[in-house]
Amino acid sequence: MGPDVPLLNYYKQEFFLKRFPQTVLGGPRFKLGYCAPPYVYVNQIILFLTPWVLGGVGTLLYQLDIMKDYYTATLSGGLMLVTALILQMTNLYARQKTVTVERMQIQNTLTDEDEYEFSSCVGSETVKFIIPGKKFIINTVFHSFLAGIMCGLGTWYLLPNRITLLYNSIGGTVVIFVFGWVTICIGEYSLIINTATETATFQALDTYEITALIRPFYIFVFIAVDLVHRFTVNIPVLEQTNQILHILFLFLPLLWALGILPPLDALFLWGMEQVLEFGLGGSPMSSNIRLLVMFLISAGTAIATYFIPSTVGVVLFMTGFGFILSLNLSEIGLAYKHTTISHLTSNKSKTISCGPRIYLGWREFFFYLTVLTLALIEASLLHHFAGFSLFSRASPQAIVSYILIILLIIMWLLREIQGVYLFGIFRNPFYPKDVRTVTVFMETQRRLMEVGVVRRILLTLVSPFAMIAFLSLDSSLHSLHSVSICIGFTRSFRMVWQNTECALLEMVVVAIVQMLLFNTDVWWNRSIDTGIRLLLVGVIRDRLLQLISKLQFAVVVLLTSWTEKKQRRKSTATLITLNIVFFPIVLAFIAISTLLSSPLVPLFTLPIFLIGFPRPIRSWPGPVGATACVCSDTIYYQQVVPSLATALQSALAAGSLGLVLPGSHYLCRFQDRLIWILVLERGFTYCCVTIKGLELQETSCHTAEAHRVDEVFEMAFERQDHAETFTLNLHFGNILTPCTALPVRLYSDARSVLSGIIDSHENLKQLKDDLIKVLIWMLVQYCYKQSKMCEKLDKTTKNKEGSFPLAQTKTFNSTVEKPRPIKDEDTLSVGTVVDWTDDSDLFDLEPSRTRERKETELLETAPGTLPSIPGSVELQSAVGALQETAPAEKLYKAVVLGLPAVDKGKRQEVESLPLVEFSCSYSELLSIPEEWRTAPIPTSKLREMRQRFPEDWYHFVLSQLDFFHLKDKPSTLLEDITKDKALKELYIHGVLSCCFGLFGLDNTVPTPTHVFRAYTGGIPWCVGLDWLTGKPELFQLALKAFRYTFKLMVDKASLGPVENFKELINYLEEYESDWYIGLVSDLEWQQAVLQEKPYLFSLGHDLNMGVYTGRVLTLQELLVQVGKLNDEAVRGQWANLSWELLYATNDDEERYSIQAHPVLLRNLTVQAADPPLGYPVYSSAPLHVPLL
């Protein structure tokens, strides 16, 4: 697609132009796609202005001094309540009046596209169009009362006298009064008449009609500030705030239209995250429930601190709870539950491990207990004996500050040298030069791993205790019952453990500022304590990192819109010019989005920047990992996740992935697999992540971006000139920055073309001979395994009878069918053409027949029936002796198509299974099941198989059996079984039966097409196929043997011929134990991947190239390259995706914003979004990775 593909197609443009004015005005629909009577528009205007009229009545009475202000508000509110209830009742009446008609109509969820037939000004259709009504009765009442309250308080809020007192300006009063009432009318209309679709959409569905409450909520927030100002003593700051908010109140419609103000669910989740992280020292959580519970517990801890009377008690309480709340409490509790259960069941294992998410042993328990005890002792002793001295250059707190500065520098250096790039620009000279093989990489990275261990010790043990010493020595802790101290120090004591790296940076900044300003009388020293200083530095640190990321993102979008030719549109030059001209406004937008911690939205991913609404760090409302577009590729990601989580454990602990914060995004690449990692939460010795797998079937856009990802990683990891020069990161502008390579146990995928192997005449000829050998080995192994599962032999029966009863239950005698006169009427009957259809091809090279025919349709006929097709051969496998002993047994016969023609009136000899009398009683252990001996095989084919039967191979296979499961076995057991001719005849018959089903009676060399169809299970129909498929277990064995034989043919062609029987046995045993040989579409293939079979092989056919291909998956430890993504670039593109699909409904698969962008990785980012907006093929539940 070209760069000038429409941002919105024509249909969506019409839809958007109708929806956006409705959003701006709060719900009135003045732009329709069809003609409507004028009264439809007039009615909407009247309803829109009704709150202003009702509020105006009260305002007029107040201005004329007829009523007090609160009576005025009550009157306006009451009138609005009555009006709202009347409107809702009108809608209910209209719906009941047309209920019969509505039941016959198909409801369309896109009400914007419905066409109404208006009959009158107050007709049912007019009422339902203007006032759609509520889905729930409770909302009908609740929203009506809310509308009355909002109108009453709005009247009070916009009283002219009150506004004049605030601004002392008549002109300002008029402006605020007029446009303020426009804001209230918009809120009232959205609440009670028709709820507009909001540009700030978080949930895909509004099940409980919460969207109608968004605008009233923000109106109430502004009014609440004014009420607080009214009923409190004059506070200058509060008065100034009220003045600013009155002006901002006029711009609420603009903020709603631009989608800057968040929906209520996103607002509360975002608010709890911000307060928990910056006010209480916690971390964003992986789920809404965890967030709510942790928020309440953390808030309760901060409140409880205020009521503790002792300073030592406060320090102990904050230290202890700061440590405890920074742990992964839910997982520890779950692990403790499993530990208790294991002890009750007398399980003495020291470590409890139940899946990847639970890990708790006695070692970890004692470690946590020891660290907590030492922290409490240190904090109490330092605070009690040395916490009274004020800060000075020689005070104990200053000495600890020097230690913290040294620790920060050391840890920062140790973290930087763990990655492939320094500062994301210069290649790290200490990083391994060659990362193509795991062994060489691990050998050269050993020193970095040792450095990582040192850093882990400093991060986990040394730094937290040094920071606790800094906090415990602060003199501010002796001032009890201060809200600022309770909040600031509760946060600080917890941050020490929750996010040690950031806490260390914050304390070093505060310590340096204190050293520079400790003798000066400035606001920093005079008005705030150390806890609040740390809080402010923490907020500044977070917002500064966001600002840098947003600026980088904005610059990349702006520059690549011109430098990338495929992104250059006709409007690009104009947009760049506008960005330069309005640079201050663009910078202000970036600053505001940074302050709100909301995404910077590039509209349609063009350099048109808007402020997105604040939302949780996860960006999506649903549970993590709940949905994914599951397909056959999902299993490859399921297999790799446990191993990848283990690799992430060491990388996160060593610092190879840089500064890891909640909301960080990482991209992993290996062959055709792309893995997206999102960090959800971070705590002491644990990190919670979710892993997503992107599609393997690469589209053109996917391929273009994946190719750029490969280039970025190749430049970082695989360039040979790293050893010679000090290289730079040439892809610095890309949102992906390479970090490190992780050794992960996964499948490598190798594909090859089998031309020259599968179409070789010699190979295909040898295939049939090898198949006989593989079938012998397969049948012997099957019978041998079955014998191990059987019960012990009945020695008494064996001694009396001389052979096993099983061999005597059913016997078959060789007979020769007597010729029967053929009547002249023996012609082609109607029954013969039942299976022929219009789609049948008489000239098909591989004739096929439906396998759904029952075995009785082919093999069972009534006695005396004649062959239906002249020249066919009738085979019967029963005689009178069998009929006498087993009258219920049926006679078997088959009509064999494709055999040489026989003269009329003649018969071909048919031999059935002879009487089985083993010369060795133990031969019964290897006897083929009886139902497998009933194949209708001609005598001539049986004689031919006896000649082709590889007796040496048969004896060798038997000689490999051990029979260890038998007791008191004779020493000559194997020799006696080998000499048993009856057993040999059974295997000859069994092998011939399988070959008969796979190839029929034709001795010609199979074609490549026949081999491919037989491998895939779509075997061309032959006379023995129906019999073979009627024995499912035998059919699966035969199919498995054929696949083994084909793999053997490929191996012999690639590695050379098999020299002896021992080597052939090794091949087959390896196939059995270490390989799965089948099809990618098989369920067993998926099971083999999840069970981590070492090797998998599949045969395929490329229809485009017309060649047969082989695919081999090999399980091994390989290097997966990991890079860090620009967090704000991901959040911004996801915010635009949410707006485009949920509001503009721009679901065009070829839309501009989903096209390949090699620098922004736009297509991959869209894929990684949560469904239904994105389409990852795999999404894991939150994975709690231990870092201890």
Side-chain angles (χ1 to χ4, degrees):
M1 298 294 291
D4 286 309
V5 61
L7 302 177
L8 285 170
N9 59 39
Y10 178 77
Y11 172 76
K12 294 301 180 182
Q13 289 177 13
E14 290 286 330
F15 178 78
F16 178 78
L17 292 176
K18 287 188 293 183
R19 171 171 280 191
F20 188 69
Q22 182 183 353
T23 301
V24 172
L25 296 175
R29 289 182 275 189
F30 294 133
K31 182 176 177 56
L32 305 177
Y34 51 91
C35 295
Y39 56 76
V40 172
Y41 304 103
V42 173
N43 287 349
Q44 292 183 85
I45 294 173
I46 292 174
L47 291 175
F48 181 82
L49 297 176
T50 297
W52 197 347
V53 172
L54 299 179
V57 172
T59 301
L60 182 62
L61 294 176
Y62 172 75
Q63 291 297 119
L64 297 176
D65 292 330
I66 298 176
M67 299 180 68
K68 298 291 184 182
D69 53 358
Y70 43 87
Y71 290 129
T72 297
T74 304
L75 175 63
S76 298
L79 293 175
M80 188 65 219
L81 171 62
V82 174
T83 303
L85 289 174
I86 292 173
L87 292 174
Q88 293 301 315
M89 294 303 107
T90 304
N91 172 265
L92 290 176
Y93 174 76
R95 283 194 291 180
Q96 291 178 356
K97 185 177 180 181
T98 58
V99 65
T100 307
V101 179
E102 286 188 352
R103 286 177 182 173
M104 299 175 62
Q105 295 177 349
I106 299 176
Q107 295 295 325
N108 186 357
T109 55
L110 294 175
T111 55
D112 305 70
E113 304 304 314
D114 290 341
E115 291 193 17
Y116 289 80
E117 295 182 1
F118 303 102
S119 56
S120 64
C121 181
V122 291
S124 299
E125 291 297 329
T126 305
V127 172
K128 288 190 300 178
F129 173 78
I130 297 175
I131 312 172
K134 307 294 180 180
K135 291 187 290 186
F136 305 103
I137 297 297
I138 188 172
N139 283 341
T140 300
V141 179
F142 175 65
H143 291 182
S144 299
F145 274 93
L146 205 61
I149 295 173
M150 183 167 60
C151 185
L153 293 178
T155 303
W156 204 3
Y157 184 74
L158 294 175
L159 287 175
N161 286 353
R162 176 68 179 172
I163 300 174
T164 304
L165 290 176
L166 284 175
Y167 298 100
N168 295 322
S169 172
I170 301 298
T173 301
V174 173
V175 172
I176 292 176
F177 179 79
V178 173
F179 289 99
W181 269 108
V182 171
T183 300
I184 292 179
C185 289
I186 290 174
E188 291 280 6
Y189 199 98
S190 179
L191 175 66
I192 203 65
I193 307 297
N194 182 26
T195 303
T197 304
E198 299 289 350
T199 51
T201 303
F202 190 55
Q203 299 277 359
L205 297 175
D206 183 24
T207 306
Y208 302 104
E209 298 177 310
I210 298 177
T211 305
L213 303 176
I214 295 177
R215 303 191 183 201
F217 172 80
Y218 288 105
I219 292 175
F220 280 126
V221 169
F222 281 74
I223 293 175
V225 175
D226 182 70
L227 292 177
V228 172
H229 180 225
R230 283 174 183 266
F231 296 104
T232 56
V233 182
N234 289 333
I235 302 175
V237 175
L238 188 59
E239 183 177 358
Q240 293 174 2
T241 303
N242 196 15
Q243 289 174 348
I244 295 172
L245 290 182
H246 266 78
I247 297 174
L248 192 60
F249 188 77
L250 312 183
F251 294 94
L252 276 181
L254 179 63
L255 298 179
W256 289 326
L258 295 178
I260 297 176
L261 299 179
L264 299 185
D265 47 356
L267 175 66
F268 287 117
L269 293 175
W270 169 81
M272 282 193 292
E273 273 191 0
Q274 296 294 306
V275 174
L276 178 61
E277 184 176 2
F278 301 107
L280 302 172
S283 165
M285 292 287 130
S286 59
S287 67
N288 296 338
I289 297 297
R290 286 172 63 91
L291 177 63
L292 178 60
V293 172
M294 184 57 69
F295 175 80
L296 294 176
I297 295 175
S298 302
T301 302
I303 294 172
T305 305
Y306 184 81
F307 298 98
I308 298 177
S310 169
T311 59
V312 176
V314 168
V315 172
L316 289 175
F317 184 81
M318 290 189 295
T319 303
F321 269 89
F323 175 80
I324 293 172
L325 293 179
S326 68
L327 300 176
N328 195 1
L329 295 178
S330 63
E331 295 300 310
I332 290 177
L334 193 57
Y336 176 77
K337 176 183 176 181
H338 283 268
T339 305
T340 306
I341 294 175
S342 67
H343 281 295
L344 293 177
T345 56
S346 302
N347 186 357
K348 298 182 180 180
S349 65
K350 294 183 179 181
T351 302
I352 303 300
S353 178
C354 181
R357 296 181 56 186
I358 303 170
Y359 184 81
L360 179 67
W362 293 113
R363 184 183 63 179
E364 289 76 20
F365 176 77
F366 283 119
F367 171 79
Y368 292 141
L369 184 62
T370 303
V371 170
L372 176 60
T373 304
L374 293 177
L376 292 174
I377 294 173
E378 179 195 18
S380 59
L381 292 178
L382 289 176
H383 174 74
H384 183 72
F385 294 104
F388 294 93
S389 60
L390 297 176
F391 187 86
S392 64
R393 295 187 187 276
S395 65
Q397 193 176 20
I399 296 173
V400 176
S401 300
Y402 298 135
I403 297 174
L404 292 178
I405 294 173
I406 296 172
L407 280 174
L408 177 65
I409 295 173
I410 294 174
M411 288 183 56
W412 177 74
L413 290 175
L414 294 182
R415 186 188 71 204
E416 283 297 319
I417 65 174
Q418 292 291 324
V420 66
Y421 283 120
L422 300 175
F423 313 109
I425 303 174
F426 308 101
R427 196 182 194 281
N428 182 8
F430 301 102
Y431 198 81
K433 303 297 186 297
D434 187 4
V435 293
R436 300 185 182 185
T437 58
V438 179
T439 53
V440 176
F441 174 77
M442 297 303 293
E443 186 98 14
T444 55
Q445 204 195 22
R446 186 174 302 169
R447 292 184 179 179
L448 287 181
M449 294 175 66
E450 294 173 356
V451 172
V453 172
V454 175
R455 181 183 178 278
R456 187 186 305 185
I457 294 173
L458 293 177
L459 181 66
T460 308
L461 295 176
V462 179
S463 297
F465 284 101
M467 287 187 285
I468 286 178
F470 178 85
L471 294 173
S472 302
L473 292 171
D474 195 88
S475 59
S476 303
L477 286 172
H478 292 280
S479 302
L480 288 178
H481 304 297
S482 169
V483 175
S484 63
I485 289 179
C486 292
I487 294 176
F489 278 95
T490 299
R491 173 193 177 275
S492 300
F493 274 102
R494 181 172 177 182
M495 278 288 291
V496 166
W497 308 101
Q498 190 82 48
N499 197 336
T500 307
E501 290 183 83
C502 293
L504 182 60
L505 175 62
E506 293 167 12
M507 288 191 188
V508 167
V509 172
V510 169
I512 292 175
V513 173
Q514 257 184 311
M515 290 178 185
L516 297 175
L517 302 177
F518 74 96
N519 278 332
T520 58
D521 186 21
V522 293
W523 168 79
W524 179 268
N525 288 333
R526 184 180 62 254
S527 302
I528 57 176
D529 55 71
T530 303
I532 299 300
R533 293 171 194 160
L534 290 171
L535 189 151
L536 292 176
V537 171
V539 174
I540 294 172
R541 183 257 318 158
D542 177 78
R543 296 306 191 258
L544 187 60
L545 291 176
Q546 284 193 37
L547 179 63
I548 295 172
S549 297
K550 283 183 168 68
L551 285 173
Q552 182 184 2
F553 173 48
V555 170
V556 168
V557 172
L558 188 64
L559 293 180
T560 55
S561 66
W562 181 263
T563 57
E564 294 287 332
K565 292 184 179 180
K566 292 186 177 180
Q567 308 302 323
R568 193 181 302 169
R569 299 172 60 88
K570 294 178 181 179
S571 58
T572 299
T574 304
L575 292 175
I576 293 176
T577 304
L578 290 175
N579 275 274
I580 295 174
V581 172
F582 296 101
F583 173 73
I585 297 177
V586 174
L587 198 59
F589 279 9
I590 296 175
I592 294 172
S593 67
T594 300
L595 291 175
L596 295 176
S597 188
S598 61
L600 180 68
V601 183
L603 200 63
F604 299 107
T605 64
L606 292 172
I608 305 172
F609 300 105
L610 298 176
I611 303 170
F613 66 86
R615 65 198 77 193
I617 205 70
R618 302 190 307 274
S619 294
W620 307 112
V624 174
T627 55
C629 302
V630 179
C631 65
S632 59
D633 296 331
T634 303
I635 54 169
Y636 301 112
Y637 292 109
Q638 286 180 317
Q639 179 274 326
V640 77
V641 161
S643 179
L644 180 59
T646 304
L648 285 174
Q649 179 179 351
S650 59
L652 290 168
S656 303
L657 301 181
L659 182 61
V660 180
L661 299 173
S664 298
H665 295 261
Y666 295 89
L667 186 66
C668 306
R669 177 68 168 170
F670 175 76
Q671 289 188 348
D672 59 350
R673 269 154 279 185
L674 282 163
I675 302 173
W676 194 285
I677 301 174
L678 169 61
V679 179
L680 299 172
E681 60 180 273
R682 181 77 188 265
F684 184 63
T685 68
Y686 87 95
C687 184
C688 183
V689 302
T690 179
I691 298 176
K692 297 179 181 179
L694 307 188
E695 63 180 356
L696 301 184
Q697 301 295 330
E698 298 183 351
T699 61
S700 58
C701 296
H702 181 108
T703 303
E705 294 187 356
H707 180 67
R708 178 59 63 90
V709 171
D710 292 336
E711 286 182 359
V712 172
F713 282 130
E714 183 181 355
M715 176 67 68
F717 296 109
E718 299 178 8
R719 288 288 294 271
Q720 294 295 329
D721 55 355
H722 290 322
E724 303 175 1
T725 59
F726 193 69
T727 57
L728 299 175
N729 180 9
L730 300 181
H731 297 281
F732 177 71
N734 198 294
I735 69 167
L736 176 67
T737 302
C739 293
T740 187
L742 302 178
V744 180
R745 186 173 174 82
L746 43 62
Y747 282 100
S748 63
D749 194 346
R751 302 168 192 254
S752 59
V753 178
L754 299 181
S755 299
I757 298 177
I758 192 174
D759 52 2
S760 171
H761 182 78
E762 293 297 327
N763 291 341
L764 295 174
K765 183 178 180 181
Q766 185 65 32
L767 178 71
K768 296 189 77 171
D769 295 334
D770 289 341
L771 178 60
I772 295 174
K773 294 180 181 179
V774 177
L775 280 170
I776 293 172
W777 180 82
M778 193 75 70
L779 290 172
V780 169
Q781 291 296 318
Y782 173 83
C783 296
Y784 178 67
K785 291 177 182 178
Q786 290 296 318
S787 68
K788 287 184 177 181
M789 300 168 59
C790 293
E791 298 179 359
K792 295 183 178 180
L793 303 176
D794 188 354
K795 296 182 180 181
T796 307
T797 307
K798 182 178 65 174
N799 294 332
K800 288 183 180 181
E801 302 293 338
S803 63
F804 295 97
L806 183 60
Q808 299 177 354
T809 54
K810 293 183 180 180
T811 58
F812 295 87
N813 295 329
S814 295
T815 61
V816 178
E817 294 292 337
K818 296 181 181 179
R820 182 181 58 84
I822 303 298
K823 299 182 181 180
D824 295 334
E825 300 88 272
D826 291 342
T827 57
L828 186 63
S829 64
V830 178
T832 23
V833 294
V834 171
D835 293 326
W836 291 86
T837 65
D838 294 337
D839 298 329
S840 300
D841 189 359
L842 295 175
F843 304 98
D844 189 3
L845 295 178
E846 295 291 345
S848 60
R849 188 177 184 176
T850 178
R851 283 184 286 162
E852 296 174 357
R853 297 183 56 189
K854 296 181 181 179
E855 180 183 351
T856 53
E857 294 177 355
L858 177 66
L859 301 177
E860 295 181 6
T861 55
T865 343
L866 301 178
S868 301
I869 302 178
S872 62
V873 180
E874 183 181 10
L875 305 178
Q876 294 185 358
S877 310
V879 292
L882 179 62
Q883 297 176 15
E884 293 176 4
T885 55
E889 293 291 335
K890 296 182 179 180
L891 301 179
Y892 292 87
K893 87 166 195 175
V895 178
V896 184
L897 301 176
L899 291 178
V902 262
D903 295 335
K904 268 193 173 184
K906 290 191 177 181
R907 292 288 199 165
Q908 182 174 342
E909 279 191 355
V910 178
E911 183 174 339
S912 60
L913 195 65
L915 176 65
V916 179
E917 293 185 359
F918 296 116
S919 60
C920 175
S921 59
Y922 287 92
S923 297
E924 178 63 30
L925 296 174
L926 301 178
S927 176
I928 293 178
E930 275 190 52
E931 61 272 15
W932 294 3
R933 311 175 194 169
T934 58
I937 302 173
T939 307
S940 60
K941 290 297 178 181
L942 198 54
R943 285 198 298 266
E944 182 182 338
M945 177 54 72
R946 289 194 185 101
Q947 296 175 1
R948 295 177 57 194
F949 189 76
E951 192 166 342
D952 294 343
W953 167 253
Y954 169 72
H955 292 163
F956 183 79
V957 172
L958 292 179
S959 67
Q960 301 300 306
L961 304 179
D962 47 41
F963 291 102
F964 286 150
H965 59 288
L966 296 181
K967 296 181 180 179
D968 302 328
K969 61 183 178 182
S971 58
T972 60
L973 173 60
L974 288 176
E975 183 179 354
D976 294 340
I977 291 178
T978 303
K979 293 179 181 180
D980 195 330
K981 294 183 179 180
L983 182 63
K984 175 185 171 184
E985 287 294 322
L986 283 182
Y987 278 94
I988 291 174
H989 195 279
V991 170
L992 182 56
S993 300
C994 295
C995 293
F996 183 44
L998 294 173
F999 295 106
L1001 299 176
D1002 194 359
N1003 289 329
T1004 59
V1005 177
T1007 63
T1009 305
H1010 186 112
V1011 171
F1012 175 73
R1013 293 181 63 177
Y1015 183 95
T1016 57
I1019 304 171
W1021 185 86
C1022 61
V1023 70
L1025 180 60
D1026 284 347
W1027 177 88
L1028 184 61
T1029 53
K1031 312 292 183 292
E1033 196 169 8
L1034 179 61
F1035 176 73
Q1036 291 301 321
L1037 276 178
L1039 183 60
K1040 185 178 180 181
F1042 184 85
R1043 290 174 173 177
Y1044 281 16
T1045 306
F1046 180 83
K1047 182 64 173 65
L1048 180 64
M1049 180 184 76
V1050 175
D1051 288 345
K1052 287 165 64 176
S1054 305
L1055 306 176
V1058 177
E1059 297 181 356
N1060 50 52
F1061 288 160
K1062 184 63 178 176
E1063 186 178 353
L1064 180 56
I1065 283 285
N1066 291 339
Y1067 267 115
L1068 297 178
E1069 289 178 349
E1070 183 183 353
Y1071 294 160
E1072 186 70 22
S1073 60
D1074 297 341
W1075 287 77
Y1076 175 77
I1077 301 173
L1079 296 174
V1080 177
S1081 58
D1082 291 343
L1083 178 61
E1084 292 80 2
W1085 178 282
Q1086 301 181 14
Q1087 294 172 349
V1089 171
L1090 296 178
Q1091 293 168 4
E1092 296 194 337
K1093 275 276 188 181
Y1095 308 97
L1096 292 90
F1097 176 82
S1098 174
L1099 176 64
H1101 185 213
D1102 191 331
L1103 296 176
N1104 296 326
M1105 299 178 61
V1107 295
Y1108 295 99
T1109 58
R1111 182 182 182 186
V1112 178
L1113 298 185
T1114 305
L1115 183 65
Q1116 52 188 323
E1117 193 174 59
L1118 297 169
L1119 293 176
V1120 173
Q1121 297 159 340
V1122 184
K1124 188 172 184 179
L1125 295 160
N1126 185 318
D1127 307 335
E1128 294 304 320
V1130 175
R1131 294 182 66 201
Q1133 292 182 77
W1134 280 357
N1136 172 72
L1137 176 68
S1138 178
W1139 179 87
E1140 261 197 89
L1141 268 66
L1142 296 182
Y1143 181 77
T1145 64
N1146 188 24
D1147 55 354
D1148 188 355
E1149 294 182 356
E1150 299 297 333
R1151 64 185 183 273
Y1152 173 79
S1153 61
I1154 203 175
Q1155 300 300 311
H1157 195 302
V1159 180
L1160 290 178
L1161 304 181
R1162 187 166 53 195
N1163 186 267
L1164 298 180
T1165 305
V1166 169
Q1167 286 186 50
D1170 282 6
L1173 305 185
Y1175 45 97
V1177 299
Y1178 173 77
S1179 183
S1180 73
L1183 299 174
H1184 298 264
V1185 181
L1187 306 180
L1188 185 60

